Amino acid sequence: MPDTQARQVKQIRKSAEQAGSYLEALDTAAQGGQPDEEKRLVDTQEYMQQLEELALPFATAAGCVLQVQNSVPAQLFIEVQNVQRALLNIIENAVRYSPKGGTVQVVLQSGPQGSAEFIVRDQGLGFAPEALAHATEPFWRQDTAWGADGHYGLGLAIAAEIAQRHGGALQIGNLPQGGGEVRLILPQ
């Protein structure tokens, strides 16, 4: 197959994959979010190590440094896969909006009243005022390239829904030195 045709086939495949992702996102949103999952105890060290292993390839591919820290030497009672999906959504956003060579930090720490706080910080431009108000709404995007890059504005909406199912919250803000910060807070 000539190079031109091979590139065209590759582009068609990529477009089909993006369409499939879009349809999955629409289906998930139409069904009211992520499927229910039973909560179970998970070791925080193992969980954070697995999260790092999953996030490192796309952070590295984007030219970002990923730093993962855990200061909760215990177990969490969570929907393991759904919380992981929420965190990967948040980390992917942080990587996407960070400059090449920037650092994305992922920290697990104890919060007020024994809650677990997953904090993701980036070195990008941070959230615009409109994004602070709307970023957790399904299909809302800070930029105007909706769907052009395979992202449809569902990541933070899904993360917020998972936090709420745990009786927690998703907090979005900007850091004083610049960059964005997203906190996934889960009561324990």
Side-chain angles (χ1 to χ4, degrees), residues 56-66 95 98-104:
L56 192 57
F58 61 81
T60 302
C64 290
V65 176
L66 183 68
V95 165
S98 287
K100 195 171 194 121
T103 299
V104 172

Side-chain angles (χ1 to χ4, degrees), residues 89-143:
N89 288 346
I90 296 165
I91 295 167
E92 286 175 15
N93 282 347
V95 165
R96 189 171 49 241
Y97 290 105
S98 287
K100 195 171 194 121
T103 299
V104 172
Q105 294 180 317
V106 182
V107 178
L108 172 58
Q109 68 183 26
S110 295
Q113 300 163 340
S115 65
E117 291 189 2
F118 293 91
I119 305 164
V120 179
R121 297 181 182 109
D122 67 50
Q123 295 178 325
L125 297 174
F127 292 95
E130 188 177 12
L132 290 171
H134 300 286
T136 60
E137 295 173 10
F139 303 108
W140 192 90
R141 286 203 45 176
Q142 181 166 319
D143 55 39

Side-chain angles (χ1 to χ4, degrees), residues 21-179:
S21 294
Y22 175 64
L23 291 173
E24 283 180 35
L26 281 174
D27 190 41
T28 298
Q31 293 178 23
Q34 295 296 96
D36 287 337
E37 174 188 350
E38 279 196 40
K39 291 181 182 177
R40 62 183 172 92
L41 281 176
V42 62
D43 177 82
T44 59
Q45 294 297 96
E46 290 175 21
Y47 193 71
M48 293 301 284
Q49 182 178 0
Q50 183 181 28
L51 183 67
E52 182 175 18
E53 289 170 4
L54 292 169
L56 192 57
F58 61 81
T60 302
C64 290
V65 176
L66 183 68
Q67 294 178 343
V68 178
Q69 302 167 338
N70 176 17
S71 62
V72 179
Q75 294 182 323
L76 298 175
F77 189 63
I78 58 174
E79 294 178 5
V80 176
Q81 295 300 316
N82 283 338
V83 170
Q84 183 179 79
R85 178 72 259 154
L87 289 167
L88 288 172
N89 288 346
I90 296 165
I91 295 167
E92 286 175 15
N93 282 347
V95 165
R96 189 171 49 241
Y97 290 105
S98 287
K100 195 171 194 121
T103 299
V104 172
Q105 294 180 317
V106 182
V107 178
L108 172 58
Q109 68 183 26
S110 295
Q113 300 163 340
S115 65
E117 291 189 2
F118 293 91
I119 305 164
V120 179
R121 297 181 182 109
D122 67 50
Q123 295 178 325
L125 297 174
F127 292 95
E130 188 177 12
L132 290 171
H134 300 286
T136 60
E137 295 173 10
F139 303 108
W140 192 90
R141 286 203 45 176
Q142 181 166 319
D143 55 39
T144 57
W146 189 86
D149 57 0
H151 299 277
Y152 302 98
L154 288 171
L156 294 178
I158 289 169
E161 187 253 325
I162 291 168
Q164 289 169 357
R165 268 211 326 247
H166 279 78
L170 189 73
Q171 296 177 348
I172 299 169
N174 290 318
L175 299 167
Q177 70 274 20

